[in-house]
mmCIF file of all heavy atoms in Angstrom:
data_model
loop_
_atom_site.group_PDB
_atom_site.id
_atom_site.type_symbol
_atom_site.label_atom_id
_atom_site.label_comp_id
_atom_site.label_asym_id
_atom_site.label_seq_id
_atom_site.Cartn_x
_atom_site.Cartn_y
_atom_site.Cartn_z
ATOM 1 N N TRP H 169 88.595 -158.657 -7.769
ATOM 2 C CA TRP H 169 89.433 -158.995 -8.929
ATOM 3 C C TRP H 169 90.549 -157.930 -9.059
ATOM 4 O O TRP H 169 91.704 -158.238 -9.254
ATOM 5 C CB TRP H 169 88.525 -159.033 -10.195
ATOM 6 C CG TRP H 169 89.289 -159.112 -11.467
ATOM 7 C CD1 TRP H 169 89.479 -158.093 -12.346
ATOM 8 C CD2 TRP H 169 89.916 -160.240 -11.998
ATOM 9 N NE1 TRP H 169 90.217 -158.529 -13.424
ATOM 10 C CE2 TRP H 169 90.517 -159.876 -13.229
ATOM 11 C CE3 TRP H 169 90.078 -161.575 -11.580
ATOM 12 C CZ2 TRP H 169 91.220 -160.729 -14.010
ATOM 13 C CZ3 TRP H 169 90.777 -162.472 -12.382
ATOM 14 C CH2 TRP H 169 91.331 -162.046 -13.596
ATOM 15 N N HIS H 170 90.176 -156.652 -8.944
ATOM 16 C CA HIS H 170 91.178 -155.599 -9.139
ATOM 17 C C HIS H 170 92.127 -155.533 -7.937
ATOM 18 O O HIS H 170 93.305 -155.244 -8.087
ATOM 19 C CB HIS H 170 90.490 -154.280 -9.377
ATOM 20 C CG HIS H 170 89.900 -154.168 -10.745
ATOM 21 N ND1 HIS H 170 90.644 -153.975 -11.914
ATOM 22 C CD2 HIS H 170 88.613 -154.297 -11.187
ATOM 23 C CE1 HIS H 170 89.845 -153.964 -12.952
ATOM 24 N NE2 HIS H 170 88.642 -154.173 -12.564
ATOM 25 N N PHE H 171 91.567 -155.801 -6.758
ATOM 26 C CA PHE H 171 92.385 -155.829 -5.527
ATOM 27 C C PHE H 171 93.437 -156.916 -5.720
ATOM 28 O O PHE H 171 94.639 -156.718 -5.489
ATOM 29 C CB PHE H 171 91.467 -156.162 -4.342
ATOM 30 C CG PHE H 171 92.061 -156.136 -3.000
ATOM 31 C CD1 PHE H 171 92.367 -154.935 -2.396
ATOM 32 C CD2 PHE H 171 92.223 -157.317 -2.232
ATOM 33 C CE1 PHE H 171 92.884 -154.922 -1.069
ATOM 34 C CE2 PHE H 171 92.693 -157.284 -0.961
ATOM 35 C CZ PHE H 171 93.044 -156.095 -0.379
ATOM 36 N N GLY H 172 92.992 -158.073 -6.208
ATOM 37 C CA GLY H 172 93.917 -159.219 -6.446
ATOM 38 C C GLY H 172 94.916 -158.914 -7.461
ATOM 39 O O GLY H 172 96.124 -159.230 -7.347
ATOM 40 N N LYS H 173 94.525 -158.171 -8.511
ATOM 41 C CA LYS H 173 95.454 -157.826 -9.607
ATOM 42 C C LYS H 173 96.566 -156.932 -9.092
ATOM 43 O O LYS H 173 97.702 -157.030 -9.495
ATOM 44 C CB LYS H 173 94.652 -157.032 -10.687
ATOM 45 C CG LYS H 173 94.931 -157.579 -12.080
ATOM 46 C CD LYS H 173 93.846 -157.158 -12.989
ATOM 47 C CE LYS H 173 94.366 -156.219 -14.023
ATOM 48 N NZ LYS H 173 93.340 -155.877 -15.005
ATOM 49 N N LYS H 174 96.234 -156.075 -8.162
ATOM 50 C CA LYS H 174 97.191 -155.191 -7.556
ATOM 51 C C LYS H 174 98.133 -155.942 -6.615
ATOM 52 O O LYS H 174 99.375 -155.744 -6.618
ATOM 53 C CB LYS H 174 96.512 -154.093 -6.790
ATOM 54 C CG LYS H 174 97.198 -152.763 -6.749
ATOM 55 C CD LYS H 174 96.218 -151.718 -6.316
ATOM 56 C CE LYS H 174 96.970 -150.629 -5.569
ATOM 57 N NZ LYS H 174 97.745 -149.719 -6.180
ATOM 58 N N LEU H 175 97.510 -156.815 -5.821
ATOM 59 C CA LEU H 175 98.279 -157.560 -4.812
ATOM 60 C C LEU H 175 99.109 -158.691 -5.442
ATOM 61 O O LEU H 175 100.227 -158.931 -5.004
ATOM 62 C CB LEU H 175 97.308 -158.186 -3.783
ATOM 63 C CG LEU H 175 97.180 -157.527 -2.483
ATOM 64 C CD1 LEU H 175 96.613 -156.142 -2.590
ATOM 65 C CD2 LEU H 175 96.255 -158.387 -1.581
ATOM 66 N N ALA H 176 98.575 -159.364 -6.380
ATOM 67 C CA ALA H 176 99.195 -160.559 -6.920
ATOM 68 C C ALA H 176 98.966 -160.702 -8.431
ATOM 69 O O ALA H 176 98.229 -161.577 -8.864
ATOM 70 C CB ALA H 176 98.586 -161.765 -6.170
ATOM 71 N N PRO H 177 99.630 -159.827 -9.230
ATOM 72 C CA PRO H 177 99.384 -159.878 -10.661
ATOM 73 C C PRO H 177 99.652 -161.259 -11.289
ATOM 74 O O PRO H 177 98.871 -161.669 -12.126
ATOM 75 C CB PRO H 177 100.369 -158.847 -11.187
ATOM 76 C CG PRO H 177 101.092 -158.235 -10.015
ATOM 77 C CD PRO H 177 100.611 -158.861 -8.792
ATOM 78 N N GLN H 178 100.692 -161.967 -10.790
ATOM 79 C CA GLN H 178 100.962 -163.253 -11.388
ATOM 80 C C GLN H 178 99.835 -164.273 -11.117
ATOM 81 O O GLN H 178 99.413 -164.983 -12.044
ATOM 82 C CB GLN H 178 102.287 -163.789 -10.842
ATOM 83 C CG GLN H 178 102.804 -165.043 -11.594
ATOM 84 C CD GLN H 178 102.847 -164.802 -13.101
ATOM 85 O OE1 GLN H 178 103.432 -163.783 -13.570
ATOM 86 N NE2 GLN H 178 102.192 -165.623 -13.895
ATOM 87 N N GLU H 179 99.353 -164.301 -9.838
ATOM 88 C CA GLU H 179 98.282 -165.238 -9.558
ATOM 89 C C GLU H 179 97.037 -164.985 -10.392
ATOM 90 O O GLU H 179 96.330 -165.865 -10.831
ATOM 91 C CB GLU H 179 97.897 -165.165 -8.047
ATOM 92 C CG GLU H 179 98.780 -166.005 -7.159
ATOM 93 C CD GLU H 179 100.097 -165.294 -6.760
ATOM 94 O OE1 GLU H 179 100.371 -164.254 -7.346
ATOM 95 O OE2 GLU H 179 100.835 -165.845 -5.920
ATOM 96 N N ILE H 180 96.751 -163.682 -10.594
ATOM 97 C CA ILE H 180 95.565 -163.289 -11.362
ATOM 98 C C ILE H 180 95.772 -163.703 -12.819
ATOM 99 O O ILE H 180 94.877 -164.238 -13.505
ATOM 100 C CB ILE H 180 95.284 -161.822 -11.228
ATOM 101 C CG1 ILE H 180 94.667 -161.512 -9.877
ATOM 102 C CG2 ILE H 180 94.363 -161.266 -12.319
ATOM 103 C CD1 ILE H 180 93.195 -161.876 -9.680
#
Side-chain angles (χ1 to χ4, degrees):
W169 170 257
H170 288 285
F171 186 72
K173 227 161 115 175
K174 211 165 150 73
L175 256 62
Q178 190 52 53
E179 276 81 354
I180 286 282

